[in-house]
Amino acid sequence: MKSGHLDTLCVQGGWEPKNGEPRVMPVFQSTTFKYDSSEHVGDLFDLKAAGHFYTRLSNPSAEVVEKKLAALEGGVGAMLTSSGQAATTATLLTLCRAGDHFVSAASIYGGTVNLFNVTLKKLGIEVTFVRPDATEADLQAAFRPNTKAVFGETVANPALDVLDIETFAKVAHANAVPLIVDNTFPTPVLCRPFDFGADIVIHSTSKYLDGHAVALGGAVVDSGRFDWKASDKFPEFTEPDPSYHGLVYTEAFGAAAFIVKARVQFLRDIGAAPAPMNAFLTNLGMETLHLRMERHCRNAEAVAAFLEKHPAIAWVNYPGLASSKDAALVRKYLPRGTCGVISCGIRGGRAAAVKFMDSLKLVAIVVHVADVRSSVLHPASSTHRQLTDEQLAAIGITPESVRLSIGIEHAEDIIADLEQALRDL
Ligand SMILES: *Cc1c(COP(=O)(O)O)cnc(C)c1O
C-alpha cells in the first residue's frame, strides 16, 4: 500500500485483494498448506523459498497483520506471537543467550519484570534495571562487556512514565546494541519509536491494537536499521546457523535478519504462534485504531482534568496533563496524545481505593486495559501482586494507586460515574 497516511494503513494496510477476492481479509483457518512438488517443500524448509507451510511458523492471516503493523511502525517486517509476553521473550531470546546481559528501564509492565527477573535469569540472562529518567551517564554505567540490548516502554504500564527514546537509543548505539521499545500504550498512531532511533518495537496487541478485549496477541517489529555485522556482538546473526544447513541471517535476509531469525528459530522451537482467528480479530480492531486512539486520548484528558480538581483525589498521574513531570517528553514524542490510561491516588489509602472501585457502575473492575470499555484496577492487589514493596515503589505503585483505563464512551457518562463513586468516600 503506497499511502503514507496512518489512517489509510489502519483501514486497508496488509490486505490488498486481487480481482474477485474477498474484500475483507479471511481467516485462513488451516494449520498446513498444499504444494505441488516435494522439491518446493524442501526449499521452504531450507528458507530458500518464501511461503507458508505450517501455521506455527507463519499463516496468511497473521501475515496480513504483520504487514499492516510493519507499515504503521515504519519497519521492514513484523512477527505476530500468541501474546505480548511471547513477543518480549522472542525478542530477548533472539538477541541474548546464557551468559549475556541487558539493560532495562525499571518502569515497565509487571509481567515483563517477572520475565526479566525470574525466567530469563533462570536461563542465565541477567538484567540491570535503570530509572526511567536515567541520564546518559546512568545508562552507560549499567553496561557490561556482555550487554546485548536496552529495553524500555514508550509509556510505561502502569507507572505511565514516558521514555526518553532518543537518549536510550543514543547510549544503546554507542555500545553497539539495539534499543527495544514496547510501544503498546501509544500504538504507532501516537508514536513511532523508530523515528527516534529505536531498533525493535514490541506490542501486546491484546491492548489497543485489538482494542475490544477479544484476542490475546503480541507482535515484534524490526526497523531493519540495526547493523548486526558492524556491531560485532551478534555472531548468531553473522555466522552459519547449523539448524539451517549453515545459513547466515545477515547474508540471506539483509535488513530483515532479526525478524526472520526470530521467526525461524524462536517460533519454530518455542511455538508461541498466533491463532489465525486472533489475527483476524486483531486486524478488525486495527481498522479503527486511529479513530479509537483519538477518542481514548480526548476522554482520558477530560477525566484527568476532572480528577485533578477533585478533593478526594490525592494525585493524578496522566502524561497528557500539562502538570505531568513528563510534559516535555510528551511534547516531543507524543504530540497528538499519550493513551487512555490514568493512574490516581484515592485519599484514604487502600480501603478508600477499594471502596471507590466497588462503587463504580459504568467503569468495571477488570484485569485489563486499553479496550473500548472504561475499566479500573488496583495494581497492588492484582497485576502487580507478585512484586515486592520495593519493586512496587520503584515503578511508582502505592497502596492507594488506582489505574483507570478510559474507554470510548461519552466522557460525561464516565465522569458522572467517577463522581458518584468519589462522593461516597
Ligand atoms: C499487557 C502488556 C504486556 C503483555 O502482553 P500480553 O498480551 O498480556 O501477554 C506487555 N507489555 C505491556 C506494556 C502491556 O501492557
Side-chain angles (χ1 to χ4, degrees):
M1 165 135 328
K2 298 284 176 287
S3 168
H5 287 287
L6 293 181
D7 308 40
T8 307
L9 287 172
C10 282
V11 181
Q12 295 210 18
W15 178 246
E16 290 170 51
K18 297 185 199 73
N19 191 38
E21 286 186 349
R23 180 69 175 118
V24 179
M25 186 261 274
V27 192
F28 288 91
Q29 193 69 51
S30 184
T31 60
T32 191
F33 304 85
K34 175 191 166 288
Y35 287 95
D36 289 341
S37 78
S38 45
E39 192 190 341
H40 193 157
V41 174
D43 286 348
L44 291 170
F45 270 95
D46 282 348
L47 306 180
K48 284 183 195 147
H52 305 287
F53 56 96
Y54 193 48
T55 286
R56 169 150 46 74
L57 274 145
S58 69
N59 172 276
S61 295
E63 187 181 22
V64 167
V65 183
E66 286 159 354
K67 283 187 175 158
K68 176 179 287 197
L69 187 57
L72 284 168
E73 289 284 6
V76 292
M79 174 179 88
L80 289 194
T81 55
S82 53
S83 69
Q85 287 303 94
T88 309
T89 307
T91 302
L92 269 310
L93 290 187
T94 299
L95 296 172
C96 301
R97 53 161 66 201
D100 284 343
H101 168 260
F102 65 103
V103 177
S104 174
S107 174
I108 52 172
Y109 178 65
T112 308
V113 174
N114 276 329
L115 170 65
F116 289 177
N117 258 339
V118 182
T119 301
L120 291 186
K121 198 171 193 172
K122 274 197 274 188
L123 299 178
I125 300 166
E126 294 215 355
V127 63
T128 298
F129 287 109
V130 294
R131 289 174 54 92
D133 57 355
T135 63
E136 285 181 35
D138 296 337
L139 276 167
Q140 187 58 51
F143 270 79
R144 301 178 191 171
N146 58 344
T147 302
K148 293 294 170 65
V150 178
F151 183 95
E153 292 179 7
T154 317
V155 176
N157 175 12
L160 303 171
D161 294 312
V162 179
L163 189 74
D164 188 348
I165 301 171
E166 280 185 355
T167 298
F168 273 61
K170 190 175 167 191
V171 179
H173 296 159
N175 291 277
V177 303
L179 172 64
I180 307 158
V181 172
D182 181 333
N183 197 34
T184 296
F185 269 17
T187 83
V189 168
L190 299 174
C191 178
R192 302 203 323 167
F194 294 158
D195 294 345
F196 302 102
D199 302 287
I200 297 160
V201 156
I202 286 174
H203 283 280
S204 165
T205 65
S206 324
K207 311 294 165 53
Y208 289 117
L209 298 190
D210 157 21
H212 300 76
V214 292
L216 209 66
V220 184
V221 191
D222 184 355
S223 71
R225 289 205 299 258
F226 190 82
D227 192 337
W228 307 100
K229 255 185 172 151
S231 157
D232 215 27
K233 290 191 173 178
F234 297 92
E236 278 193 34
F237 287 71
T238 56
E239 291 171 11
D241 178 355
S243 74
Y244 281 107
H245 306 309
L247 174 127
V248 175
Y249 292 98
T250 45
E251 279 171 20
F253 303 106
F258 167 81
I259 202 69
V260 172
K261 184 175 184 290
R263 180 185 302 282
V264 303
Q265 287 185 333
F266 181 88
L267 274 194
R268 178 195 63 183
D269 297 351
I270 306 293
M277 187 65 197
N278 279 10
F280 173 85
L281 292 167
T282 304
N283 182 60
L284 199 59
M286 288 175 76
E287 291 180 355
T288 54
L289 180 66
H290 53 302
L291 298 177
R292 289 186 287 105
M293 290 317 289
E294 200 176 313
R295 176 64 80 90
H296 279 293
C297 290
R298 299 300 88 82
N299 277 358
E301 286 156 13
V303 169
F306 159 79
L307 293 172
E308 207 174 30
K309 286 187 298 220
H310 200 287
I313 299 293
W315 49 265
V316 181
N317 180 11
Y318 181 63
L321 279 173
S323 59
S324 162
K325 67 172 175 51
D326 290 332
L329 293 172
V330 168
R331 274 193 296 280
K332 178 169 180 177
Y333 296 113
L334 301 149
R336 291 187 303 281
T338 57
C339 64
V341 182
I342 300 171
S343 63
C344 62
I346 311 292
R347 277 193 207 285
R350 181 185 284 259
V354 169
K355 179 152 189 256
F356 162 70
M357 289 173 55
D358 290 347
S359 308
L360 289 165
K361 296 183 173 78
L362 187 78
V363 180
I365 300 173
V366 301
V367 183
H368 188 60
V369 290
D371 74 75
V372 291
R373 291 158 286 264
S374 292
S375 58
V376 66
L377 179 81
H378 188 235
S381 60
S382 56
T383 47
H384 290 67
R385 215 182 164 85
Q386 270 77 28
L387 302 196
T388 64
D389 284 354
E390 276 152 26
Q391 286 173 325
L392 286 176
I395 56 175
I397 295 172
T398 51
E400 81 274 11
S401 293
V402 161
R403 183 178 67 181
L404 290 161
S405 175
I406 303 304
I408 60 171
E409 306 92 340
H410 200 291
E412 283 175 13
D413 292 335
I414 303 168
I415 290 172
D417 191 33
L418 297 170
E419 195 162 32
Q420 64 80 22
L422 289 169
R423 205 181 299 138
D424 296 341
L425 291 181

